[in-house]
Amino acid sequence: MTHAANTDISFSAASDGAAPLQILTPPHPVLRQKARLVKPEDVADIRKILPSMFSAMYQAPGIGLAAPQVGLSQRFLLVDLGEKDARDPIVMINPEVIAETEDMAAREEGCLSLPNQYAEVVRPEKIRVRWNTINGDVMEREAEGLLATCIQHEIDHLEGVLFVDHLSALRRNMILRRLAKELKRK
Ligand code: K1U
Ligand code: ZN
């Protein structure tokens, strides 16, 4: 099978009855590509795909989703650490970590692209992140705890990096082999 990176977002959202978005798993090559910057002319299409991306994330369920996970090699991501009855959705376009602490924290991570695989990953404990909103405003905020972990994990996706890349080769290969076996069984 050939896989093409869709960088144009020329299809519409699931809310209009379209098929739900599939979350990609390895070895899909888009998961390993560096995503390109979002340009102003991309924003209308991003607006159209966002409801389907939020549906896919909430249904999984997940607390984050990056565009490459649904085959779009563009630099935007979603996070929502809110409860089911108190959603707190954030869309970050062209996000950048502009500061991080030297203090590191280990936290268990999962990934919707690596279903049922979990491992502790060490990352900067607190970050300051800058991004564009869907309306073109520039935002900045500090994040710590699970939010900091999740934003760093999602920005990694924009670089073609998966959480297993932060582990030893031994652990990474073990997880990827186990996942390949599980996906083959399905
Ligand atoms: O990018 C993704 O694949 C989403 C991922 C985000 C993430 C979670 C935890 C640590 C780092 C990054 C997930 O959402 S995996 C699912 C998950 O961990 C979760 C699901 C529901 C509630 C709480 C956590
Ligand atoms: Zn992930």
Side-chain angles (χ1 to χ4, degrees):
M1 199 202 298
T2 55
H3 303 279
N6 184 340
T7 62
D8 293 323
I9 315 182
S10 54
F11 46 89
S12 61
S15 54
D16 60 6
L21 292 175
Q22 291 271 346
I23 297 179
L24 304 180
T25 55
H28 199 295
V30 174
L31 290 174
R32 289 314 202 166
Q33 283 169 15
K34 184 177 162 79
R36 71 158 174 84
L37 282 170
V38 170
K39 295 175 275 184
E41 57 266 36
D42 299 322
V43 169
D45 284 331
I46 292 175
R47 275 187 202 281
K48 286 188 208 152
I49 195 85
L50 283 177
S52 299
M53 286 182 65
F54 274 108
S55 302
M57 181 178 83
Y58 293 138
Q59 206 201 327
I63 55 172
L65 189 67
Q69 293 181 275
V70 293
L72 304 171
S73 197
Q74 296 192 23
R75 300 185 78 82
F76 69 97
L77 60 87
L78 327 176
V79 291
D80 189 343
L81 269 66
E83 299 295 324
K84 204 172 177 183
D85 54 357
R87 295 294 194 197
D88 184 18
I90 304 174
V91 177
M92 294 184 173
I93 294 178
N94 296 332
E96 281 177 86
V97 173
I98 55 171
E100 60 188 35
T101 54
E102 279 181 15
D103 286 349
M104 306 290 277
R107 187 178 289 274
E108 178 149 286
E109 298 195 17
C111 180
L112 302 180
S113 294
L114 306 175
N116 305 317
Q117 313 303 318
Y118 302 90
E120 248 188 24
V121 176
V122 178
R123 299 184 187 268
E125 193 174 19
K126 290 184 193 170
I127 57 168
R128 185 160 188 88
V129 60
R130 181 187 292 152
W131 73 96
N132 285 104
T133 68
I134 193 77
N135 298 321
D137 299 320
V138 178
M139 296 279 287
E140 263 186 46
R141 70 168 285 175
E142 285 185 356
E144 60 185 306
L146 182 57
L147 180 61
T149 299
C150 187
I151 292 170
Q152 291 176 83
H153 175 116
E154 302 312 329
I155 292 177
D156 270 357
H157 277 301
L158 306 182
E159 295 296 320
V161 171
L162 299 173
F163 81 77
V164 289
D165 299 330
H166 294 274
L167 310 177
S168 69
L170 188 75
R171 286 277 291 140
R172 174 167 61 251
N173 291 333
M174 204 186 76
I175 290 174
L176 292 175
R177 272 198 291 267
R178 186 170 61 203
L179 175 67
K181 250 192 219 169
E182 285 182 19
L183 293 174
K184 215 168 155 190
R185 246 187 272 129
K186 284 189 181 167

